[in-house]
Amino acid sequence: MNNWKHVDPAMAIQGEEVLRRLSDHGHQAFFVGGCVRDEMMKRPVMDMDITTSAKPEEVMALFEGSIPTGLQHGTVTVRMNGYHFEVTTFRTESGYEDFRRPSEVHFVDQVEEDLKRRDFTMNAIARDYAGHIIDPFNGVTDIARGIVRSVGLAEERFREDALRMLRGVRFASIFNFDIDSLTWDGLLAERDKLSHIAMERVRNEMDKLLSGPYPARGIGLLMDSELLHYIKAPVDLSRLDRSVLSLLDKLPQTTEYRLGLLLLLLGANSADADHKLRAWTYSGKVKDRMTRFLGLHEEVMNHLSKITKDHKQGLRSRHLREEWKLSLLKHGVPASEDWHVIHRLLPQSFYEMSGEEYLLLKELVEHAEEWRNEMGVYSLKELELSGSDLLRVTGRKGGPWLGETMNWLLRQVVTGQLVNKHDILLDAAKKVISDEK
């Protein structure tokens, strides 16, 4: 049929071939969940899950090279011409002892029984080969109305899998939907169960929320529900200023920019962030990026205060320019780019500073990129004089003096005191060494 409009056509052809083959061998088979939902919402469909009456061993017998990814739960990954499809047997679940995974799975014969175990009505819709819809819980209507609603009793669904509470908030955020009142009541009643969920899974939901189109809505719902108070590494959102949450939506649609602003709005410093991000299971790469950004922010704020106090009006711009460049050497260019993107959005009301300091900040935001580009060099390896050159010419042994001298040269070049030429740098280094003797 291939009557999908928001799916890679080649993937749709292969997915329909899976359904056709299952049907030809006497089994029921349907597309289900997110692919059906996203097609209805005219959103790009990234993968296509399939549910079937066929048992896992029957699926594997029909599709050579399939992978038994979750036989205990009835799931087989079918490979078709470069595409992968998760094919799961109709099932019911029970015995959720850890508020996450079922201890008992029973295979059933009817797709409607399988759809009863799904989290939200928008995800409990099936579609057959011909495009006919099976929608026992009115998910199509809820999508049209912009409603996130639990399948059946919300309390039961959330006790089965506590992560569903965060998924519900994430769906409301990404789709700009409302949460059904009974679903919201169930969420509030069962939110303490989130303490059983691994932080990796919580963080994954938060990353998806932050990288979506309406993160401010999601954070607002988290504030209202206090869900993050109940996770293994709790987050207190109560101090957030709701009036600036909308800035999250204006940042580029990546987790790191939104996470950086969120940490800033929470009043976190670089040390706080290091601790929090470890607890939230972020990678070392993300942790390093966030701590460098916050470290640069702290340093800039200190410089603004110091320059305003110590320098007359006419000298402030020059010192601001120099301090910005030296801070970039310490914290790195990526941190300066993050700082610039975020501080271009923040209103004056965010800052606790004098009018003079704010004028300096505005000047820095205006010229940050220009001054960064002026630097020319950003690390020791870009100097035209190397440490080995200096050792060879001076005949001295290595030691702390070498690093101190090379870093001094880098600072002089960056602030325009020296030109990055081998002979000029060598003469300056010799003078410094001679003066120290």
Side-chain angles (χ1 to χ4, degrees), residues 266-289:
L266 286 169
N269 58 35
S270 56
D272 292 333
D274 183 82
H275 174 74
K276 292 180 188 298
L277 295 169
R278 285 177 190 273
W280 298 342
T281 72
Y282 274 100
S283 68
K285 183 178 180 181
V286 172
K287 183 172 66 68
D288 182 66
R289 179 172 173 176

Short mmCIF file of all heavy atoms in Angstrom, two decimals, residues 266-289:
data_model
loop_
_atom_site.label_atom_id
_atom_site.label_comp_id
_atom_site.label_asym_id
_atom_site.label_seq_id
_atom_site.Cartn_x
_atom_site.Cartn_y
_atom_site.Cartn_z
N LEU A 266 18.76 28.14 37.81
CA LEU A 266 18.71 27.49 39.12
C LEU A 266 19.76 28.03 40.08
O LEU A 266 19.82 27.63 41.25
CB LEU A 266 18.88 25.98 38.98
CG LEU A 266 17.68 25.22 38.41
CD1 LEU A 266 18.08 23.78 38.07
CD2 LEU A 266 16.52 25.24 39.39
N GLY A 267 20.62 28.92 39.57
CA GLY A 267 21.65 29.51 40.41
C GLY A 267 22.84 28.62 40.66
O GLY A 267 23.61 28.83 41.61
N ALA A 268 23.03 27.61 39.81
CA ALA A 268 24.14 26.68 40.00
C ALA A 268 25.47 27.32 39.60
O ALA A 268 25.54 28.02 38.59
CB ALA A 268 23.91 25.41 39.16
N ASN A 269 26.51 27.08 40.37
CA ASN A 269 27.85 27.47 39.95
C ASN A 269 28.54 26.24 39.38
O ASN A 269 27.97 25.15 39.32
CB ASN A 269 28.64 28.09 41.11
CG ASN A 269 28.77 27.15 42.29
OD1 ASN A 269 28.88 25.94 42.14
ND2 ASN A 269 28.76 27.71 43.50
N SER A 270 29.79 26.41 38.95
CA SER A 270 30.47 25.30 38.28
C SER A 270 30.64 24.10 39.20
O SER A 270 30.52 22.94 38.76
CB SER A 270 31.82 25.76 37.73
OG SER A 270 32.62 26.32 38.75
N ALA A 271 30.91 24.33 40.48
CA ALA A 271 31.05 23.22 41.43
C ALA A 271 29.73 22.51 41.65
O ALA A 271 29.67 21.27 41.68
CB ALA A 271 31.61 23.73 42.76
N ASP A 272 28.64 23.28 41.80
CA ASP A 272 27.31 22.69 41.94
C ASP A 272 26.99 21.82 40.73
O ASP A 272 26.50 20.70 40.85
CB ASP A 272 26.22 23.77 42.03
CG ASP A 272 26.30 24.58 43.30
OD1 ASP A 272 26.80 24.04 44.30
OD2 ASP A 272 25.86 25.74 43.28
N ALA A 273 27.26 22.38 39.55
CA ALA A 273 26.93 21.68 38.31
C ALA A 273 27.69 20.38 38.19
O ALA A 273 27.13 19.37 37.75
CB ALA A 273 27.23 22.59 37.12
N ASP A 274 28.95 20.39 38.58
CA ASP A 274 29.75 19.17 38.50
C ASP A 274 29.09 18.07 39.34
O ASP A 274 28.94 16.92 38.89
CB ASP A 274 31.16 19.44 39.00
CG ASP A 274 32.06 18.23 38.89
OD1 ASP A 274 32.59 17.99 37.80
OD2 ASP A 274 32.22 17.52 39.90
N HIS A 275 28.68 18.42 40.54
CA HIS A 275 28.04 17.45 41.44
C HIS A 275 26.69 17.00 40.88
O HIS A 275 26.39 15.79 40.84
CB HIS A 275 27.86 18.07 42.83
CG HIS A 275 27.10 17.22 43.77
ND1 HIS A 275 27.63 16.09 44.36
CD2 HIS A 275 25.81 17.31 44.22
CE1 HIS A 275 26.73 15.53 45.14
NE2 HIS A 275 25.61 16.25 45.07
N LYS A 276 25.87 17.96 40.46
CA LYS A 276 24.52 17.63 39.97
C LYS A 276 24.58 16.77 38.71
O LYS A 276 23.84 15.79 38.58
CB LYS A 276 23.74 18.91 39.69
CG LYS A 276 23.37 19.73 40.91
CD LYS A 276 22.61 20.97 40.51
CE LYS A 276 22.39 21.92 41.67
NZ LYS A 276 21.60 21.33 42.76
N LEU A 277 25.45 17.14 37.78
CA LEU A 277 25.49 16.42 36.50
C LEU A 277 26.02 15.00 36.68
O LEU A 277 25.62 14.09 35.94
CB LEU A 277 26.33 17.20 35.49
CG LEU A 277 25.73 18.56 35.10
CD1 LEU A 277 26.74 19.38 34.30
CD2 LEU A 277 24.45 18.38 34.30
N ARG A 278 26.92 14.80 37.63
CA ARG A 278 27.34 13.44 37.95
C ARG A 278 26.16 12.63 38.47
O ARG A 278 25.93 11.49 38.04
CB ARG A 278 28.45 13.45 39.01
CG ARG A 278 29.82 13.88 38.53
CD ARG A 278 30.80 13.92 39.70
NE ARG A 278 32.05 14.54 39.31
CZ ARG A 278 33.07 13.90 38.76
NH1 ARG A 278 32.96 12.59 38.53
NH2 ARG A 278 34.17 14.54 38.45
N ALA A 279 25.42 13.23 39.38
CA ALA A 279 24.27 12.53 39.96
C ALA A 279 23.20 12.24 38.92
O ALA A 279 22.49 11.23 39.01
CB ALA A 279 23.67 13.36 41.10
N TRP A 280 23.08 13.12 37.94
CA TRP A 280 22.07 12.94 36.88
C TRP A 280 22.58 12.05 35.74
O TRP A 280 21.92 11.92 34.74
CB TRP A 280 21.65 14.29 36.33
CG TRP A 280 21.00 15.18 37.34
CD1 TRP A 280 20.46 14.82 38.55
CD2 TRP A 280 20.84 16.60 37.26
NE1 TRP A 280 19.98 15.92 39.22
CE2 TRP A 280 20.20 17.03 38.45
CE3 TRP A 280 21.17 17.56 36.30
CZ2 TRP A 280 19.88 18.36 38.70
CZ3 TRP A 280 20.86 18.89 36.54
CH2 TRP A 280 20.22 19.28 37.73
N THR A 281 23.78 11.48 35.91
CA THR A 281 24.39 10.51 34.97
C THR A 281 24.72 11.11 33.61
O THR A 281 24.72 10.40 32.61
CB THR A 281 23.51 9.25 34.79
OG1 THR A 281 22.35 9.56 34.01
CG2 THR A 281 23.11 8.65 36.12
N TYR A 282 25.03 12.39 33.57
CA TYR A 282 25.47 12.97 32.30
C TYR A 282 26.89 12.52 31.98
O TYR A 282 27.68 12.21 32.88
CB TYR A 282 25.40 14.50 32.35
CG TYR A 282 24.03 15.02 32.00
CD1 TYR A 282 23.13 15.41 32.99
CD2 TYR A 282 23.62 15.09 30.67
CE1 TYR A 282 21.87 15.87 32.67
CE2 TYR A 282 22.35 15.55 30.35
CZ TYR A 282 21.48 15.93 31.34
OH TYR A 282 20.23 16.37 31.02
N SER A 283 27.21 12.50 30.70
CA SER A 283 28.53 12.08 30.26
C SER A 283 29.59 13.09 30.71
O SER A 283 29.27 14.26 31.00
CB SER A 283 28.56 11.96 28.74
OG SER A 283 28.44 13.24 28.14
N GLY A 284 30.84 12.65 30.73
CA GLY A 284 31.92 13.55 31.06
C GLY A 284 32.00 14.72 30.09
O GLY A 284 32.33 15.85 30.49
N LYS A 285 31.66 14.48 28.84
CA LYS A 285 31.70 15.54 27.83
C LYS A 285 30.69 16.64 28.13
O LYS A 285 31.00 17.83 28.08
CB LYS A 285 31.43 14.93 26.45
CG LYS A 285 31.50 15.92 25.31
CD LYS A 285 31.27 15.23 23.97
CE LYS A 285 31.36 16.23 22.81
NZ LYS A 285 31.11 15.56 21.51
N VAL A 286 29.47 16.24 28.45
CA VAL A 286 28.43 17.23 28.79
C VAL A 286 28.79 17.95 30.08
O VAL A 286 28.66 19.17 30.20
CB VAL A 286 27.05 16.56 28.90
CG1 VAL A 286 26.02 17.54 29.45
CG2 VAL A 286 26.60 16.02 27.55
N LYS A 287 29.26 17.19 31.07
CA LYS A 287 29.63 17.78 32.36
C LYS A 287 30.74 18.83 32.18
O LYS A 287 30.67 19.92 32.74
CB LYS A 287 30.09 16.68 33.33
CG LYS A 287 30.43 17.17 34.72
CD LYS A 287 30.68 16.01 35.66
CE LYS A 287 31.91 15.24 35.26
NZ LYS A 287 33.15 16.02 35.45
N ASP A 288 31.74 18.50 31.37
CA ASP A 288 32.83 19.43 31.12
C ASP A 288 32.33 20.69 30.43
O ASP A 288 32.72 21.80 30.78
CB ASP A 288 33.91 18.74 30.27
CG ASP A 288 35.10 19.65 30.01
OD1 ASP A 288 35.81 19.98 30.98
OD2 ASP A 288 35.33 20.03 28.84
N ARG A 289 31.46 20.51 29.46
CA ARG A 289 30.93 21.67 28.74
C ARG A 289 30.14 22.58 29.66
O ARG A 289 30.30 23.82 29.63
CB ARG A 289 30.04 21.20 27.58
CG ARG A 289 29.41 22.34 26.79
CD ARG A 289 28.71 21.82 25.55
NE ARG A 289 27.97 22.88 24.88
CZ ARG A 289 27.32 22.72 23.73
NH1 ARG A 289 27.34 21.53 23.11
NH2 ARG A 289 26.66 23.71 23.17
#
